[in-house]
Amino acid sequence: QAAADPVSSSDAPEDGPKETSSVSQNISDADAFKILLEMKLKKRQKKPALPKTVTELDTEDGSKVYVVGTAHFSDSSKKDVVKTIQEVQPDVVVVELCQYRVSMLKMDEKTLLKEAKEINLEKLQQAIKQNGVMSGLMQMLLLKVSAHITEQLGMAPGGEFREAFKEASKVPFCKFHLGDRPIPITFKRAIAALSFWQKVKLAWGLCFLSDPISKDDVEKCKQKDLLEQMMAEMIGEFPDLHRTIVSERDIYLTYMLKQAAKQIELPQASETEPRKHIPAVVVGVVGMGHVPGIEKNWNSDLNIQEIMSVPPPSASSKIFKFVIKATVFGLMGYGCYRIGQRTAQFILSMPAAQSYLQKLTEIRS
């Protein structure tokens, strides 16, 4: 901004050259961009001192991608993200979030802690309305797992993403991209991959999760994301579920990182000047569990159309949906019956009601 803004005549020395003001005022947008870009490139470290959790990847056109593997409940992961962005001064920062979870970027820590711990009927209704009965229930169960970790550690999830958002805003010309597949698609594909009894077994395991977790456990999970590791322990016998929740998202994250790493087109000083492109520098912030999959898929031709489709509900899904609805309505009906029965007993036990019934009996007799 200092390079692009004109210097006012009142601030200039009286005996200095008066042409300075006109020169600065006549600077073109392209020249201003080049000046700021040069300042950014000078600040960018040629041999950056990166944390051990960073994996460096290259594209065919010379762009560089630095993938920061994080644990979603880790203070050291936040520091790794900040250091990486400051060292490489990226053109794009990509995070493992989708538009359905973007709100966590702007919420403060206290609000997030409160939101994570409060899983109520309103949230359940919203999840079901957004994703359908089966996917909504699965989402709420996974939120329960996240809330369990939050309660154990007293730390809100997604701290590394919020740090990435803050640091990206400090870097000139740095874009911020959401790189994860939309969560409704992931849940719907995950549900479709399970049989009726697998859904019941998984739901049971998630409902009764209560093992204590320490901060040391989280840091040990720098080799594999904590939430996904806990999920992997419960879904180890369900390879199709692992495929939809982890492997398919590895492909999607890889695709989004490669899209972000396309060369940057420089502005033209004039219409006759040929277009120039320079390699891009990208920082990706993802759970450590996704890093091996991103490395594996990096040099492959990726097509995400297949993993973006939602298969039609299976017969087992329809049965499970019917059972859930029948159970809910059955419980509601039983609750209304019990409330009505107790209300009637309470009214009949009142002296006024007993007196009225006694008079009614005398009239009839």
Side-chain angles (χ1 to χ4, degrees), residues 14-38:
E14 292 181 1
D15 57 347
K18 295 182 179 180
E19 293 80 13
T20 304
S21 177
S22 61
V23 169
S24 60
Q25 287 177 347
N26 293 331
I27 188 171
S28 67
D29 290 341
D31 290 336
F33 180 89
K34 287 180 181 178
I35 292 171
L36 290 171
L37 183 62
E38 287 177 5

PDB file of all heavy atoms in Angstrom, residues 14-38:
ATOM      1  N   GLU A  14       9.895  21.280   0.595  1.00  0.00           N
ATOM      2  CA  GLU A  14       9.605  22.395  -0.290  1.00  0.00           C
ATOM      3  C   GLU A  14      10.651  22.548  -1.373  1.00  0.00           C
ATOM      4  O   GLU A  14      10.347  22.942  -2.491  1.00  0.00           O
ATOM      5  CB  GLU A  14       9.519  23.699   0.522  1.00  0.00           C
ATOM      6  CG  GLU A  14       8.311  23.729   1.452  1.00  0.00           C
ATOM      7  CD  GLU A  14       8.228  25.025   2.213  1.00  0.00           C
ATOM      8  OE1 GLU A  14       9.101  25.897   2.001  1.00  0.00           O
ATOM      9  OE2 GLU A  14       7.289  25.180   3.031  1.00  0.00           O
ATOM     10  N   ASP A  15      11.919  22.220  -1.027  1.00  0.00           N
ATOM     11  CA  ASP A  15      12.982  22.405  -1.999  1.00  0.00           C
ATOM     12  C   ASP A  15      13.251  21.140  -2.804  1.00  0.00           C
ATOM     13  O   ASP A  15      14.173  21.080  -3.580  1.00  0.00           O
ATOM     14  CB  ASP A  15      14.254  22.879  -1.300  1.00  0.00           C
ATOM     15  CG  ASP A  15      14.699  21.906  -0.215  1.00  0.00           C
ATOM     16  OD1 ASP A  15      13.883  21.014   0.157  1.00  0.00           O
ATOM     17  OD2 ASP A  15      15.833  22.042   0.266  1.00  0.00           O
ATOM     18  N   GLY A  16      12.456  20.119  -2.588  1.00  0.00           N
ATOM     19  CA  GLY A  16      12.659  18.869  -3.312  1.00  0.00           C
ATOM     20  C   GLY A  16      12.044  18.929  -4.682  1.00  0.00           C
ATOM     21  O   GLY A  16      11.291  19.844  -5.011  1.00  0.00           O
ATOM     22  N   PRO A  17      12.321  17.917  -5.534  1.00  0.00           N
ATOM     23  CA  PRO A  17      11.763  17.884  -6.881  1.00  0.00           C
ATOM     24  C   PRO A  17      10.253  17.681  -6.839  1.00  0.00           C
ATOM     25  O   PRO A  17       9.757  16.771  -6.215  1.00  0.00           O
ATOM     26  CB  PRO A  17      12.467  16.690  -7.546  1.00  0.00           C
ATOM     27  CG  PRO A  17      12.947  15.848  -6.400  1.00  0.00           C
ATOM     28  CD  PRO A  17      13.214  16.794  -5.283  1.00  0.00           C
ATOM     29  N   LYS A  18       9.510  18.548  -7.511  1.00  0.00           N
ATOM     30  CA  LYS A  18       8.057  18.487  -7.509  1.00  0.00           C
ATOM     31  C   LYS A  18       7.535  17.338  -8.366  1.00  0.00           C
ATOM     32  O   LYS A  18       6.374  16.986  -8.311  1.00  0.00           O
ATOM     33  CB  LYS A  18       7.484  19.811  -8.006  1.00  0.00           C
ATOM     34  CG  LYS A  18       7.789  20.979  -7.080  1.00  0.00           C
ATOM     35  CD  LYS A  18       7.152  22.259  -7.589  1.00  0.00           C
ATOM     36  CE  LYS A  18       7.461  23.407  -6.633  1.00  0.00           C
ATOM     37  NZ  LYS A  18       6.857  24.675  -7.101  1.00  0.00           N
ATOM     38  N   GLU A  19       8.408  16.730  -9.192  1.00  0.00           N
ATOM     39  CA  GLU A  19       7.965  15.646 -10.063  1.00  0.00           C
ATOM     40  C   GLU A  19       7.638  14.376  -9.280  1.00  0.00           C
ATOM     41  O   GLU A  19       6.974  13.488  -9.781  1.00  0.00           O
ATOM     42  CB  GLU A  19       9.049  15.323 -11.107  1.00  0.00           C
ATOM     43  CG  GLU A  19       9.301  16.413 -12.134  1.00  0.00           C
ATOM     44  CD  GLU A  19      10.182  17.504 -11.561  1.00  0.00           C
ATOM     45  OE1 GLU A  19      10.783  17.283 -10.491  1.00  0.00           O
ATOM     46  OE2 GLU A  19      10.252  18.585 -12.171  1.00  0.00           O
ATOM     47  N   THR A  20       8.112  14.237  -8.047  1.00  0.00           N
ATOM     48  CA  THR A  20       7.921  13.015  -7.256  1.00  0.00           C
ATOM     49  C   THR A  20       6.458  12.681  -7.092  1.00  0.00           C
ATOM     50  O   THR A  20       6.039  11.540  -7.241  1.00  0.00           O
ATOM     51  CB  THR A  20       8.559  13.178  -5.863  1.00  0.00           C
ATOM     52  OG1 THR A  20       9.917  13.511  -6.024  1.00  0.00           O
ATOM     53  CG2 THR A  20       8.439  11.887  -5.062  1.00  0.00           C
ATOM     54  N   SER A  21       5.650  13.713  -6.797  1.00  0.00           N
ATOM     55  CA  SER A  21       4.225  13.492  -6.579  1.00  0.00           C
ATOM     56  C   SER A  21       3.545  12.999  -7.837  1.00  0.00           C
ATOM     57  O   SER A  21       2.766  12.049  -7.808  1.00  0.00           O
ATOM     58  CB  SER A  21       3.568  14.778  -6.085  1.00  0.00           C
ATOM     59  OG  SER A  21       2.180  14.591  -5.934  1.00  0.00           O
ATOM     60  N   SER A  22       3.863  13.616  -8.968  1.00  0.00           N
ATOM     61  CA  SER A  22       3.211  13.210 -10.216  1.00  0.00           C
ATOM     62  C   SER A  22       3.628  11.824 -10.643  1.00  0.00           C
ATOM     63  O   SER A  22       2.833  11.058 -11.180  1.00  0.00           O
ATOM     64  CB  SER A  22       3.537  14.226 -11.324  1.00  0.00           C
ATOM     65  OG  SER A  22       4.941  14.272 -11.541  1.00  0.00           O
ATOM     66  N   VAL A  23       4.884  11.454 -10.361  1.00  0.00           N
ATOM     67  CA  VAL A  23       5.358  10.114 -10.712  1.00  0.00           C
ATOM     68  C   VAL A  23       4.612   9.064  -9.912  1.00  0.00           C
ATOM     69  O   VAL A  23       4.145   8.065 -10.436  1.00  0.00           O
ATOM     70  CB  VAL A  23       6.878   9.992 -10.479  1.00  0.00           C
ATOM     71  CG1 VAL A  23       7.317   8.542 -10.591  1.00  0.00           C
ATOM     72  CG2 VAL A  23       7.625  10.855 -11.479  1.00  0.00           C
ATOM     73  N   SER A  24       4.486   9.317  -8.577  1.00  0.00           N
ATOM     74  CA  SER A  24       3.812   8.341  -7.722  1.00  0.00           C
ATOM     75  C   SER A  24       2.333   8.249  -8.060  1.00  0.00           C
ATOM     76  O   SER A  24       1.721   7.205  -7.932  1.00  0.00           O
ATOM     77  CB  SER A  24       4.004   8.682  -6.252  1.00  0.00           C
ATOM     78  OG  SER A  24       3.457   9.962  -5.982  1.00  0.00           O
ATOM     79  N   GLN A  25       1.726   9.384  -8.496  1.00  0.00           N
ATOM     80  CA  GLN A  25       0.311   9.369  -8.832  1.00  0.00           C
ATOM     81  C   GLN A  25       0.058   8.620 -10.127  1.00  0.00           C
ATOM     82  O   GLN A  25      -1.022   8.080 -10.335  1.00  0.00           O
ATOM     83  CB  GLN A  25      -0.212  10.804  -8.954  1.00  0.00           C
ATOM     84  CG  GLN A  25      -0.356  11.508  -7.604  1.00  0.00           C
ATOM     85  CD  GLN A  25      -0.809  12.940  -7.760  1.00  0.00           C
ATOM     86  OE1 GLN A  25      -0.792  13.482  -8.860  1.00  0.00           O
ATOM     87  NE2 GLN A  25      -1.191  13.562  -6.665  1.00  0.00           N
ATOM     88  N   ASN A  26       1.063   8.618 -11.012  1.00  0.00           N
ATOM     89  CA  ASN A  26       0.897   7.978 -12.316  1.00  0.00           C
ATOM     90  C   ASN A  26       1.275   6.510 -12.318  1.00  0.00           C
ATOM     91  O   ASN A  26       1.272   5.879 -13.374  1.00  0.00           O
ATOM     92  CB  ASN A  26       1.746   8.722 -13.371  1.00  0.00           C
ATOM     93  CG  ASN A  26       1.214  10.117 -13.625  1.00  0.00           C
ATOM     94  OD1 ASN A  26       0.029  10.370 -13.483  1.00  0.00           O
ATOM     95  ND2 ASN A  26       2.119  11.037 -13.991  1.00  0.00           N
ATOM     96  N   ILE A  27       1.592   5.947 -11.164  1.00  0.00           N
ATOM     97  CA  ILE A  27       1.977   4.539 -11.125  1.00  0.00           C
ATOM     98  C   ILE A  27       0.775   3.672 -11.485  1.00  0.00           C
ATOM     99  O   ILE A  27      -0.339   3.908 -11.029  1.00  0.00           O
ATOM    100  CB  ILE A  27       2.528   4.160  -9.736  1.00  0.00           C
ATOM    101  CG1 ILE A  27       3.118   2.740  -9.773  1.00  0.00           C
ATOM    102  CG2 ILE A  27       1.458   4.252  -8.662  1.00  0.00           C
ATOM    103  CD1 ILE A  27       3.878   2.393  -8.499  1.00  0.00           C
ATOM    104  N   SER A  28       0.984   2.713 -12.370  1.00  0.00           N
ATOM    105  CA  SER A  28      -0.118   1.866 -12.843  1.00  0.00           C
ATOM    106  C   SER A  28      -0.400   0.753 -11.845  1.00  0.00           C
ATOM    107  O   SER A  28       0.426   0.448 -10.980  1.00  0.00           O
ATOM    108  CB  SER A  28       0.236   1.257 -14.201  1.00  0.00           C
ATOM    109  OG  SER A  28       1.315   0.348 -14.060  1.00  0.00           O
ATOM    110  N   ASP A  29      -1.569   0.144 -11.994  1.00  0.00           N
ATOM    111  CA  ASP A  29      -1.926  -0.989 -11.133  1.00  0.00           C
ATOM    112  C   ASP A  29      -0.950  -2.135 -11.317  1.00  0.00           C
ATOM    113  O   ASP A  29      -0.584  -2.821 -10.362  1.00  0.00           O
ATOM    114  CB  ASP A  29      -3.350  -1.462 -11.450  1.00  0.00           C
ATOM    115  CG  ASP A  29      -4.395  -0.453 -11.011  1.00  0.00           C
ATOM    116  OD1 ASP A  29      -4.067   0.400 -10.172  1.00  0.00           O
ATOM    117  OD2 ASP A  29      -5.543  -0.523 -11.502  1.00  0.00           O
ATOM    118  N   ALA A  30      -0.541  -2.351 -12.569  1.00  0.00           N
ATOM    119  CA  ALA A  30       0.398  -3.440 -12.853  1.00  0.00           C
ATOM    120  C   ALA A  30       1.732  -3.204 -12.157  1.00  0.00           C
ATOM    121  O   ALA A  30       2.330  -4.122 -11.589  1.00  0.00           O
ATOM    122  CB  ALA A  30       0.600  -3.575 -14.362  1.00  0.00           C
ATOM    123  N   ASP A  31       2.209  -1.936 -12.209  1.00  0.00           N
ATOM    124  CA  ASP A  31       3.485  -1.616 -11.551  1.00  0.00           C
ATOM    125  C   ASP A  31       3.368  -1.756 -10.039  1.00  0.00           C
ATOM    126  O   ASP A  31       4.289  -2.253  -9.375  1.00  0.00           O
ATOM    127  CB  ASP A  31       3.924  -0.195 -11.914  1.00  0.00           C
ATOM    128  CG  ASP A  31       4.360  -0.071 -13.368  1.00  0.00           C
ATOM    129  OD1 ASP A  31       4.750  -1.111 -13.934  1.00  0.00           O
ATOM    130  OD2 ASP A  31       4.294   1.035 -13.921  1.00  0.00           O
ATOM    131  N   ALA A  32       2.237  -1.306  -9.494  1.00  0.00           N
ATOM    132  CA  ALA A  32       2.025  -1.431  -8.047  1.00  0.00           C
ATOM    133  C   ALA A  32       2.007  -2.897  -7.631  1.00  0.00           C
ATOM    134  O   ALA A  32       2.581  -3.277  -6.603  1.00  0.00           O
ATOM    135  CB  ALA A  32       0.714  -0.753  -7.658  1.00  0.00           C
ATOM    136  N   PHE A  33       1.355  -3.709  -8.456  1.00  0.00           N
ATOM    137  CA  PHE A  33       1.304  -5.145  -8.176  1.00  0.00           C
ATOM    138  C   PHE A  33       2.715  -5.739  -8.180  1.00  0.00           C
ATOM    139  O   PHE A  33       3.072  -6.527  -7.306  1.00  0.00           O
ATOM    140  CB  PHE A  33       0.423  -5.840  -9.218  1.00  0.00           C
ATOM    141  CG  PHE A  33       0.298  -7.326  -9.028  1.00  0.00           C
ATOM    142  CD1 PHE A  33      -0.706  -7.857  -8.232  1.00  0.00           C
ATOM    143  CD2 PHE A  33       1.191  -8.201  -9.631  1.00  0.00           C
ATOM    144  CE1 PHE A  33      -0.818  -9.234  -8.047  1.00  0.00           C
ATOM    145  CE2 PHE A  33       1.097  -9.568  -9.451  1.00  0.00           C
ATOM    146  CZ  PHE A  33       0.078 -10.081  -8.651  1.00  0.00           C
ATOM    147  N   LYS A  34       3.503  -5.341  -9.184  1.00  0.00           N
ATOM    148  CA  LYS A  34       4.860  -5.886  -9.293  1.00  0.00           C
ATOM    149  C   LYS A  34       5.716  -5.486  -8.097  1.00  0.00           C
ATOM    150  O   LYS A  34       6.505  -6.280  -7.578  1.00  0.00           O
ATOM    151  CB  LYS A  34       5.500  -5.397 -10.589  1.00  0.00           C
ATOM    152  CG  LYS A  34       4.932  -6.055 -11.837  1.00  0.00           C
ATOM    153  CD  LYS A  34       5.600  -5.525 -13.094  1.00  0.00           C
ATOM    154  CE  LYS A  34       5.011  -6.178 -14.344  1.00  0.00           C
ATOM    155  NZ  LYS A  34       5.619  -5.634 -15.585  1.00  0.00           N
ATOM    156  N   ILE A  35       5.551  -4.229  -7.650  1.00  0.00           N
ATOM    157  CA  ILE A  35       6.334  -3.760  -6.498  1.00  0.00           C
ATOM    158  C   ILE A  35       5.983  -4.560  -5.252  1.00  0.00           C
ATOM    159  O   ILE A  35       6.857  -5.029  -4.519  1.00  0.00           O
ATOM    160  CB  ILE A  35       6.083  -2.256  -6.268  1.00  0.00           C
ATOM    161  CG1 ILE A  35       6.676  -1.442  -7.411  1.00  0.00           C
ATOM    162  CG2 ILE A  35       6.687  -1.811  -4.938  1.00  0.00           C
ATOM    163  CD1 ILE A  35       6.286   0.027  -7.383  1.00  0.00           C
ATOM    164  N   LEU A  36       4.673  -4.730  -5.008  1.00  0.00           N
ATOM    165  CA  LEU A  36       4.238  -5.476  -3.833  1.00  0.00           C
ATOM    166  C   LEU A  36       4.632  -6.942  -3.936  1.00  0.00           C
ATOM    167  O   LEU A  36       4.978  -7.577  -2.942  1.00  0.00           O
ATOM    168  CB  LEU A  36       2.725  -5.346  -3.661  1.00  0.00           C
ATOM    169  CG  LEU A  36       2.234  -3.949  -3.243  1.00  0.00           C
ATOM    170  CD1 LEU A  36       0.719  -3.878  -3.306  1.00  0.00           C
ATOM    171  CD2 LEU A  36       2.704  -3.618  -1.836  1.00  0.00           C
ATOM    172  N   LEU A  37       4.547  -7.494  -5.146  1.00  0.00           N
ATOM    173  CA  LEU A  37       4.928  -8.900  -5.350  1.00  0.00           C
ATOM    174  C   LEU A  37       6.418  -9.088  -5.068  1.00  0.00           C
ATOM    175  O   LEU A  37       6.820 -10.079  -4.448  1.00  0.00           O
ATOM    176  CB  LEU A  37       4.588  -9.342  -6.769  1.00  0.00           C
ATOM    177  CG  LEU A  37       4.865 -10.804  -7.109  1.00  0.00           C
ATOM    178  CD1 LEU A  37       4.026 -11.722  -6.218  1.00  0.00           C
ATOM    179  CD2 LEU A  37       4.574 -11.092  -8.572  1.00  0.00           C
ATOM    180  N   GLU A  38       7.238  -8.138  -5.516  1.00  0.00           N
ATOM    181  CA  GLU A  38       8.675  -8.216  -5.255  1.00  0.00           C
ATOM    182  C   GLU A  38       8.965  -8.166  -3.759  1.00  0.00           C
ATOM    183  O   GLU A  38       9.837  -8.882  -3.259  1.00  0.00           O
ATOM    184  CB  GLU A  38       9.393  -7.071  -5.972  1.00  0.00           C
ATOM    185  CG  GLU A  38       9.485  -7.259  -7.477  1.00  0.00           C
ATOM    186  CD  GLU A  38      10.140  -6.070  -8.164  1.00  0.00           C
ATOM    187  OE1 GLU A  38      10.593  -5.149  -7.440  1.00  0.00           O
ATOM    188  OE2 GLU A  38      10.194  -6.057  -9.404  1.00  0.00           O
TER     189      GLU A  38
END
